[in-house]
Amino acid sequence: PCAGPVESKKEAAMSELVPEPRQKPVVPMKPMGINASLLGYIGIDTIIEQMRKKTMKTGFDFNIMVVGQSGLGKSTLVNTLFKSQVSRKSSGWNREEKIPKTVEIKAIGHVIEEGGVKMKLTVIDTPGFGDQINNENCWEPIEKYINEQYEKFLKEEVNIARKKRIPDTRVHCCLYFISPTGHSLRPLDLEFMKHLSKVVNIIPVIAKADTMTLEEKTEFKQRVRKELEVNGIEFYPQKEFDEDLEDKTENDKIRQESMPFAVVGSDKEYQVNGKRVLGRKTPWGIIEVENLNHCEFALLRDFVIRTHLQDLKEVTHNIHYETYRAKRLNGNGGLPPMTVETEENHESNL
């Protein structure tokens, strides 16, 4: 039967009520890669140059500590490292100076300039370490000194009126000199590194490596690495601080092959094949300090100065100093204890 006029009217009314389907929103097109050559030069690449100029004006601080028994060539090695007379003994050392009865800390500052780059270098020497009959707890003055530098930095940092640039006296690197016995590490070596590796970047170094044969040197290096691993001693670069795969690959090679660096230091020059080289003269020839066939000094210098100097500073600030800072602030309710001087200033300000 045909639909009546009433039904057709109802359908028309319903069709008027039904809303029209919404149009889909237009999806914006993916942004096309901006081509600098099309839009012109912006100058983002100058940021690196700006940072370089700023840093060049400010200069760099680097504080290196040398620890080890007397006679291992600590002063000579530091002089060789920076090709300059920067050690304690080079800076007006008295030849009649006796072995100190306790560990003393002597810091000497220098400004070294190369290629327009200025570096304020501080060499911290520790005469008297390991030279006594009883060397019990002889690392304590060294640990105290390192923590004192963190404390100095922290006090400057929590001041209301802070300096624009806080003087940095924190120890960035500690070269620990191991005696070339060829046998094993002494209990003193293990105790020192166990205590100090938690507060400073330790780089173990086998001193006077020319006293060992090549086979003895290789065996001794392996033995030292094994002993450090067995005793749970972390030396720099620490595994947990590798930031990415590239860092890990590079640092693994250093940890497994180079450490501890077997080195020979000398600040004397000799003529070898018409070239002047730093070396040590022996009855059978010249040991060239910078020749990798003779010793690993060049590897140590490249590691400390050319590839990891900035990282040593960053690990000191971000890991060791932060650990000290967190401990101090937690232990004192968020702020270091006020000294008498700061209390007086505080009252006068009120």
Side-chain angles (χ1 to χ4, degrees), residues 131-149:
D131 292 338
Q132 310 307 317
I133 294 168
N134 179 11
N135 288 304
E136 193 178 354
N137 298 341
C138 66
W139 59 82
E140 283 179 355
I142 297 169
E143 189 173 17
K144 185 180 173 224
Y145 176 86
I146 291 166
N147 285 329
E148 277 171 1
Q149 308 320 304

Side-chain angles (χ1 to χ4, degrees), residues 200-215:
V200 72
N201 295 316
I202 288 181
I203 298 175
V205 169
I206 297 169
K208 299 198 168 179
D210 52 330
T211 59
M212 295 187 284
T213 65
L214 292 173
E215 290 78 14

Side-chain angles (χ1 to χ4, degrees), residues 31 35 49 70 95 124 126 145 169 188 191 199 238 258-259 273 275 278 283 288 310 345:
N35 189 336
E49 184 58 22
S70 296
R95 293 203 171 273
I124 303 123
T126 54
Y145 176 86
T169 58
L188 174 63
E191 282 298 313
V199 295
Q238 299 91 331
S258 304
M259 289 285 184
N273 299 328
K275 284 171 70 181
L278 287 169
E288 295 172 42
Q310 192 57 34
N345 292 341

Side-chain angles (χ1 to χ4, degrees), residues 301-319:
R301 186 191 51 209
D302 288 356
F303 176 66
V304 172
I305 300 169
R306 295 181 183 174
T307 61
H308 284 70
L309 188 144
Q310 192 57 34
D311 189 61
L312 280 161
K313 292 181 70 172
E314 282 173 16
V315 171
T316 300
H317 181 77
N318 298 331
I319 309 296

